[in-house]
Amino acid sequence: MRPRRGSAVVVRLQLIAAGVTTLLTFAVAALVAVFWRVPADEIGYRVLALALAGLLLVPLITLGTAAARLAVRSREDRLATLRLLGATAGRVRRIAVAEVALIAAIGVALGTLLAIPLPWALSLLSVYGRPLAPEDLLLPWWLVVAIPPALIGIATASGALGLRRVVVSPLGVRMRQQQPRMSVLRVVAALLVVGAAVLVMQTVSPGWGVVVIIGAIAAAVVAVMAVLGVVGPFLVTLVARRRAARTQDAATLIAMRGVLDDPRSAWRGVSALALASFVLVPAGSMLGYLEMIRGSKSREIMTRDQLLLFADARTMLIAMAAVSFLVVACQVAITQTASIVERRDLYTALDRLGMPLDQLDRARRIRVAMPARVAVIGAVGIAVAVAFWLVIIAAVTAPLFLVGVGVLLLAGLLLIRLGVGSTRPVLRQVLAAPARGE
């Protein structure tokens, strides 16, 4: 089946997402390997390595799965045509998944090629008090071989899961509509988990031992990160209902109704920003506190490894923020393209009714900006609750670090706005189609 001209934008987005995911995965793996192999007795380096791998794993997987779902949803008319030609539903699904795997394989191959000069690019960084050499950033051969198939497998599995909500029939392809239910139990569970995390962070003691302390803090952070995905859709639904009931603006009403139609999808589009916000607040506070210690007389009783660890922690935070925000921008562009494809009938109908393109674009921006603000405010609030005393100490001793965190969060919101704007050509193509939306 020959793809239409309009599908070129979708294919390019899929290739870019797969390539960016692959490139960033190799970069993160290289930095993790460097921190893990630092010749120091300080266990903090291995903690940094595990933290970098764990905190960036979820956004990278989310980006890959978003691209795979977009691939399936953008082929609806072609899948229906195959059914009309006599292909069974199972065969059509296999064709769709195979196409996802093929495009993902091409994108992963391009990303792997782009990752070849990474050791020389990342050698500009300094770790453990000395500049990195390219050979320090080389990964083991088995990891280089394992990463591309793993990413292709994730994309293929995501495409197959995306087809579970699709009904393929000779009369067309439609999504299984299920009214989303946002139970209050989500909030209760979130409060319990956050309360437990706060209790762990407040009662942690040196007498527990280094291994137990690291395990307890890691468990608390992972649990809170999981809670963000559970309570996020509920908060987005609550805010959307209130704004839809009070607004008299057409663009805002359309945006809020769109959020209420699928709050999980609305939250999924900004989930990476929520995770980045949750991590940046305590990490920035910790760096501010450590920088204050480095500049005080207390540095005289600290070892060389501890002082070097503080500087390397700053490097890790910058790398983590850069990767997280790049993933957020790509993820928003992909989810917005998928949203245009899925809601093209609505956009075409509104265009026929005379709604200007600028207002349609404004409705799309509002539909993304509201969940993004909820993600940032909610994640920051939970982070402050979990690391309350650390944030307070940093605010008193090193307020500039918290100001820097605020600037980074604003940059994340700006990237989301740019991600929405990058999909405007897709909306133009939908409205300019010969059959107006087909």
Side-chain angles (χ1 to χ4, degrees), residues 72 76 78-98 159-160 163-164 166-174 176:
V72 172
E76 295 180 353
R78 296 166 59 195
L79 299 180
T81 302
L82 288 174
R83 287 288 281 131
L84 283 171
L85 293 175
T88 62
R91 190 169 190 178
V92 170
R93 293 175 190 276
R94 288 194 295 273
I95 291 173
V97 173
L163 280 171
R164 292 175 59 188
V166 176
V167 179
V168 183
S169 69
L171 298 179
V173 179
R174 61 183 177 85
R176 288 190 179 96

Side-chain angles (χ1 to χ4, degrees), residues 178-383:
Q178 296 179 347
Q179 184 65 27
R181 294 186 300 174
M182 297 290 114
S183 173
V184 182
L185 292 177
R186 289 172 175 261
V187 178
V188 176
L191 291 176
L192 291 176
V193 172
V194 172
V198 172
L199 183 63
V200 169
M201 298 297 290
Q202 297 297 328
T203 57
V204 66
S205 170
W208 293 9
V210 176
V211 176
V212 177
I213 290 175
I214 293 175
I217 294 177
V221 171
V222 171
V224 174
M225 289 173 65
V227 160
L228 289 175
V230 173
V231 75
F234 179 87
L235 296 177
V236 166
T237 301
L238 189 64
V239 175
R241 282 177 181 168
R242 296 189 64 179
R243 290 194 63 179
R246 297 180 179 182
T247 187
Q248 295 182 354
D249 177 61
T252 303
L253 180 61
I254 293 170
M256 295 304 102
R257 291 304 307 172
V259 171
L260 292 173
D261 286 343
D262 194 354
R264 292 186 182 90
S265 177
W267 177 260
R268 195 182 302 122
V270 297
S271 58
L273 182 61
L275 293 177
S277 303
F278 172 70
V279 172
L280 280 176
V281 172
S285 301
M286 175 64 76
L287 288 180
Y289 177 63
L290 296 179
E291 188 67 23
M292 183 270 296
I293 293 178
R294 257 184 42 163
S296 66
K297 294 182 179 180
S298 300
R299 64 174 297 159
E300 298 175 0
I301 63 174
M302 300 178 68
T303 65
R304 176 177 177 272
D305 287 351
Q306 290 174 333
L307 293 173
L308 292 174
L309 176 63
F310 294 167
D312 293 336
R314 186 189 307 113
T315 301
M316 191 205 73
L317 177 64
I318 294 173
M320 183 188 67
V323 172
S324 298
F325 290 153
L326 183 58
V327 169
V328 166
C330 294
Q331 184 181 358
V332 168
I334 290 171
T335 54
Q336 281 302 295
T337 302
S339 175
I340 293 173
V341 172
E342 292 174 358
R343 298 161 61 86
R344 56 189 173 190
D345 291 338
L346 171 63
Y347 291 129
T348 301
L350 292 172
D351 183 60
R352 285 174 174 171
L353 289 172
M355 192 170 190
L357 177 61
D358 290 341
Q359 288 299 309
L360 288 175
D361 226 20
R362 180 167 168 266
R364 294 195 309 121
R365 288 198 302 270
I366 296 173
R367 185 170 183 261
V368 178
M370 187 276 287
R373 286 194 292 268
V374 171
V376 171
I377 295 173
V380 169
I382 293 176

Side-chain angles (χ1 to χ4, degrees), residues 150-167:
L151 294 176
I152 296 172
I154 291 173
T156 305
S158 301
L161 291 175
L163 280 171
R164 292 175 59 188
R165 293 185 59 200
V166 176
V167 179

Side-chain angles (χ1 to χ4, degrees), residues 375-405:
V376 171
I377 295 173
V380 169
I382 293 176
V384 171
V386 172
F388 179 75
W389 291 112
L390 180 62
V391 175
I392 293 299
I393 293 173
V396 175
T397 59
L400 287 180
F401 275 83
L402 292 183
V403 173
V405 170

